[in-house]
Amino acid sequence: MSEIKRPTYQTGDPVFEEKIESLLTEWGVTDDLDTYRQMMVTVLKLARDEPHPADLRLFKNAFKEMRYADKIFKPYRNVKKISVFGSARTPPTEPEYQTAFKFAERMRQDGFMIITGGGDGIMGAAQAGAGREDSFALNITLPFEQDANETIRGDHKLVLFKYFFTRKVNFVKNSDAVTLCPGGFGTMDEGFETITLLQTGKAPIIPIVFLDAPGGNFWNTFVRYLKEHLLQDGLISASDFHLFKVTDDIEVARREIVNFY
């Protein structure tokens, strides 16, 4: 007779274990019961650890943000999505803005939804190109207030985050492709973060496209730096350059993503 598998992550108190399972059952939990049990055990253990109030607020808010974002994305799980990153400071008159708009518009025609950071500039261009119905925005509360762009403002698919790390997780886990247009620290951060996750096997391989305006040299300069310093100094491998595509052609960017799937 096979031995009954007992839960390994417990409170250490059989009475509380029974209460937890009973509460979950009464709440109607049937699938993944042990996962929810472990989450509740974590909360009880956390209460006994008596964390600093600031840490406790971080745990609470992060959990709430992750749950709410998952709720918003859930109805669209079967739709392919592309996260588009780029500067919030790029005005509509710049060719980079027009490129982001046309790219998002083209990918929407191919059945993809677009995810942006919800701000103006490149984000606003991609949001407008995709349209309100076919896009999400993961906005962030900042000291100088990054308002949502006019396309997505007031839509239920606009999610506001307090923390960058919960926002980043939702960008990566909900994206089937990532496109980076010229941008500043935030764009570079998102790009390196995504490439690192793919390089280390922490995320499945997805298309990553560095998209410039026609004739632009922003990303070519970036790649030259990677080759002349990171590669030549032995800090990365030549094979790492296969993790992303650099182009100034919207159709090339489109094919890189569409052909992958």
Side-chain angles (χ1 to χ4, degrees):
M1 185 172 64
S2 61
E3 184 179 347
I4 297 176
K5 188 176 180 180
R6 302 292 183 185
T8 55
Y9 187 72
Q10 300 177 312
T11 61
D13 187 326
V15 175
F16 270 92
E17 289 293 330
E18 187 175 334
K19 288 181 178 179
I20 292 171
E21 188 159 338
S22 176
L23 180 61
L24 289 169
T25 302
E26 289 179 21
W27 191 252
V29 177
T30 54
D31 297 333
D32 301 310
L33 180 62
D34 189 59
T35 300
Y36 289 110
R37 183 194 63 78
Q38 290 187 47
M39 292 169 72
M40 294 187 69
V41 169
T42 298
V43 171
L44 293 174
K45 287 188 173 184
L46 180 64
R48 283 192 172 173
D49 292 340
E50 298 182 348
H52 189 281
D55 292 332
L56 187 58
R57 286 195 298 273
L58 186 151
F59 299 147
K60 177 198 69 174
N61 292 332
F63 192 23
K64 288 171 66 177
E65 288 185 353
M66 292 296 294
R67 186 210 67 83
Y68 181 73
D70 187 71
K71 175 184 176 182
I72 297 301
F73 276 101
K74 183 179 178 180
Y76 307 92
R77 283 178 181 169
N78 295 326
V79 183
K80 292 284 190 294
K81 306 172 196 68
I82 306 171
S83 282
V84 178
F85 300 111
S87 176
R89 305 181 184 188
T90 305
T93 53
E94 294 299 312
E96 292 82 4
Y97 185 102
Q98 298 301 321
T99 296
F101 178 93
K102 292 175 183 177
F103 171 77
E105 183 179 49
R106 186 68 183 86
M107 298 314 297
R108 177 185 59 77
Q109 293 170 359
D110 282 323
F112 289 82
M113 297 184 78
I114 297 295
I115 308 173
T116 81
D120 289 315
I122 295 294
M123 294 177 283
Q127 207 95 63
R132 184 183 183 96
E133 183 177 343
D134 293 298
S135 62
F136 298 83
L138 308 184
N139 211 333
I140 183 85
T141 54
L142 297 172
F144 43 86
E145 291 299 327
Q146 175 178 281
D147 291 331
N149 60 68
E150 62 180 1
T151 301
I152 202 68
R153 190 180 302 137
D155 191 85
H156 76 282
K157 300 188 301 311
L158 167 63
V159 184
L160 186 63
F161 290 87
K162 179 179 178 65
Y163 304 116
F164 272 110
F165 77 92
T166 50
R167 184 179 183 237
K168 283 182 181 179
V169 169
N170 275 280
F171 270 125
V172 174
K173 83 182 189 71
N174 291 299
S175 296
D176 299 286
V178 170
T179 297
L180 297 110
C181 297
F185 290 140
T187 300
M188 295 296 180
D189 179 46
E190 297 289 358
F192 275 122
E193 173 96 13
T194 306
I195 291 173
T196 300
L197 291 171
L198 269 60
Q199 181 202 48
T200 56
K202 289 293 185 180
I205 297 295
I206 60 172
I208 301 178
V209 179
F210 289 83
L211 179 61
D212 212 331
N217 202 37
F218 187 92
W219 292 122
N220 285 329
T221 302
F222 168 74
V223 172
R224 186 166 66 248
Y225 168 81
L226 297 182
K227 291 180 176 178
E228 292 179 356
H229 295 278
L230 275 68
L231 180 60
Q232 287 189 16
D233 292 344
L235 304 177
I236 60 175
S237 303
S239 60
D240 292 331
F241 289 89
H242 295 298
L243 294 172
F244 57 87
K245 178 79 171 180
V246 178
T247 184
D248 63 354
D249 188 322
I250 290 174
E251 183 56 28
V252 172
R254 173 191 167 274
R255 287 200 304 267
E256 181 73 10
I257 296 171
V258 171
N259 291 346
F260 182 89
Y261 292 102

